[in-house]
Amino acid sequence: MTSLTLADILAARKRIAGIATLDTPLPPSPCLSAIAGDDVLLKLEIGQATGAFKLRGAANAVLSLPESTKGVTCCSTGNHGRAVAYAARARGFRAVICMSSLVPEAKLAGIRALGAEARIIGKSQDEAQVESRHLAEEEGFHEISPFDDLHVIAGQGTIGLELLEQRPDLETVLIPLSGGGLAGGIAFALKTIKPSIRVVGITMEHGAAMHASLAAGKPVAVTEMASLADSLGGGIGLENRHSFALCRDFLDEVILVSEEEIYRAMQMHYHEDRLVCEGASAVGAAALLSGRLGRHPGPTATLITGRNVDMQVFTDIVSGRAVQLGDTTLKGHIHAA
Ligand SMILES: *Cc1c(COP(=O)(O)O)cnc(C)c1O
């Protein structure tokens, strides 16, 4: 059993109020509502100062550290690194962010602009993780896991409190899933307050480590692949302590979506909702558009987790042009209302 409590999440909400934006909007999506046959609402985390929800968890972790902290480090697919850099700057701590070469340039620039040191190591999150662990051991930096840290998980869980305050009648919540800190924290809060709610993790079909681990009954490694949902890449750690058990115990199911479905969902969010969001944010819409979630899920919220998308890729997608993903080419597709 996890030691996470609702009190931890309530404490996180108080602690992060000065740094993260709380009570982010939850507007309806008329297009997705028509497809689902019930209200579909968008939880807009793209308004965070760093462009993604990860500021909630990172702020809670950094603000919980003693003043004597030498520095902080983490490995990241980009958004956690930017959030740690932002929170560290607010406290005057040094920050070193370790990333793989799969991280898009836009995310790298965002981190460096905050005054943090960004190190690119290898081609996978796991290699970046080794470097941040090394820094922690050699230089006495405090390492903040992007998903397997109770302060981070409690920070992300604050979104769950807000969802039920904003719409107590919610019946389904769609959560983009990678390491599971977001889904674990939110699902724990939602199920503790409203046990009847359906909580669905959504992720890309290739290289989804949490999905493979849940199927295997224990953390397993997967090969990382290029994805439009680049923020959902990376393993969950074979020594996972918290997020695996939370996802296993509190998620009702996990739905996988294809790259084509993510492409169409990003296009739809732009043309119909007027949203600039990254691929990881669009997986909930992809599950609805593809029919994988099914119709009539009841009042539903999907998390728009971040907006830190490479602008060239984004303009290609919303213009219906083909996109190169690693060795494969995603065919163009024109959005039709
Ligand atoms: C990190 C991230 C996720 C997934 O969060 P996990 O806690 O790793 O499951 C989803 N969307 C965006 C934009 C992210 O940066």
Side-chain angles (χ1 to χ4, degrees):
M1 264 316 268
T2 171
S3 51
L4 186 69
T5 66
L6 211 49
D8 294 331
I9 300 176
L10 289 161
R13 173 149 79 173
K14 276 219 176 88
R15 194 175 291 124
I16 68 179
I19 292 191
T21 301
L22 298 181
D23 300 316
T24 50
L26 187 68
S29 167
C31 173
L32 286 179
S33 301
I35 287 163
D38 287 314
D39 281 358
V40 177
L41 306 136
L42 309 173
K43 182 63 168 162
L44 296 183
E45 285 295 304
I46 52 182
Q48 296 292 347
T50 55
F53 76 87
K54 284 215 171 64
L55 190 51
R56 295 180 187 247
N60 194 41
V62 170
L63 293 175
S64 300
L65 290 170
E67 202 49 52
S68 57
T69 302
K70 236 182 120 187
V72 290
T73 183
C74 66
C75 74
S76 168
T77 51
N79 286 333
H80 176 64
R82 190 162 173 172
V84 167
Y86 187 92
R89 190 179 66 170
R91 282 205 70 182
F93 291 163
R94 251 188 85 193
V96 180
I97 315 299
C98 305
M99 287 168 291
S100 85
S101 57
L102 289 178
V103 172
E105 194 55 43
K107 290 190 165 128
L108 199 59
I111 288 166
R112 293 194 166 132
L114 287 167
E117 183 186 331
R119 289 192 194 166
I120 304 298
I121 307 105
K123 287 200 176 64
S124 75
Q125 272 288 100
D126 289 344
E127 290 168 79
Q129 161 82 57
V130 170
E131 176 71 10
S132 82
R133 178 66 41 85
H134 186 73
L135 259 168
E137 280 162 9
E138 296 286 299
E139 301 200 29
F141 275 38
H142 182 85
E143 188 186 15
I144 303 173
S145 163
F147 53 82
D148 203 25
D149 174 302
L150 281 178
H151 284 109
V152 168
I153 294 171
Q156 324 304 30
T158 58
I159 296 171
L161 303 179
E162 292 175 18
L163 284 169
L164 284 178
E165 285 166 3
Q166 290 169 309
R167 280 291 295 253
D169 63 334
L170 280 179
E171 287 177 25
T172 302
V173 176
L174 310 181
I175 311 178
L177 176 65
S178 176
L182 178 68
I186 294 179
F188 175 85
L190 292 172
K191 293 275 188 183
T192 305
I193 298 168
K194 182 173 177 174
S196 67
I197 201 161
R198 176 185 177 201
V199 190
V200 185
I202 313 203
T203 189
M204 69 280 186
E205 67 188 4
H206 297 299
M210 183 61 84
H211 178 256
S213 299
L214 291 171
K218 63 173 198 303
V220 295
V222 295
T223 308
E224 230 180 296
M225 310 266 274
S227 171
L228 289 180
D230 53 86
S231 289
L232 302 186
I236 69 163
L238 297 178
E239 309 287 307
N240 189 292
R241 287 180 303 156
H242 309 291
S243 65
F244 172 74
L246 284 166
C247 288
R248 182 193 61 203
D249 296 346
F250 294 99
L251 282 182
D252 291 290
E253 67 201 284
V254 175
I255 292 177
L256 303 180
V257 293
S258 71
E259 296 301 318
E260 284 79 10
E261 287 162 355
I262 297 170
Y263 178 110
R264 288 175 187 231
M266 289 173 78
Q267 238 183 14
M268 188 281 309
H269 273 314
Y270 178 73
H271 287 273
E272 305 291 336
D273 301 314
R274 297 297 196 260
L275 278 186
V276 175
C277 68
E278 51 180 284
S281 295
V283 294
L288 279 161
L289 290 174
S290 65
R292 286 172 209 272
L293 190 80
R295 267 179 70 79
H296 296 300
T300 298
T302 184
L303 265 89
I304 307 298
T305 46
R307 63 166 184 224
N308 296 327
V309 59
D310 180 282
M311 281 318 275
Q312 187 57 55
V313 173
F314 184 76
T315 44
D316 283 344
I317 290 173
V318 298
S319 311
R321 288 192 285 269
V323 172
Q324 193 64 30
L325 256 192
D327 297 337
T328 55
T329 307
L330 277 181
K331 276 211 314 273
H333 164 83
I334 307 284
H335 174 81

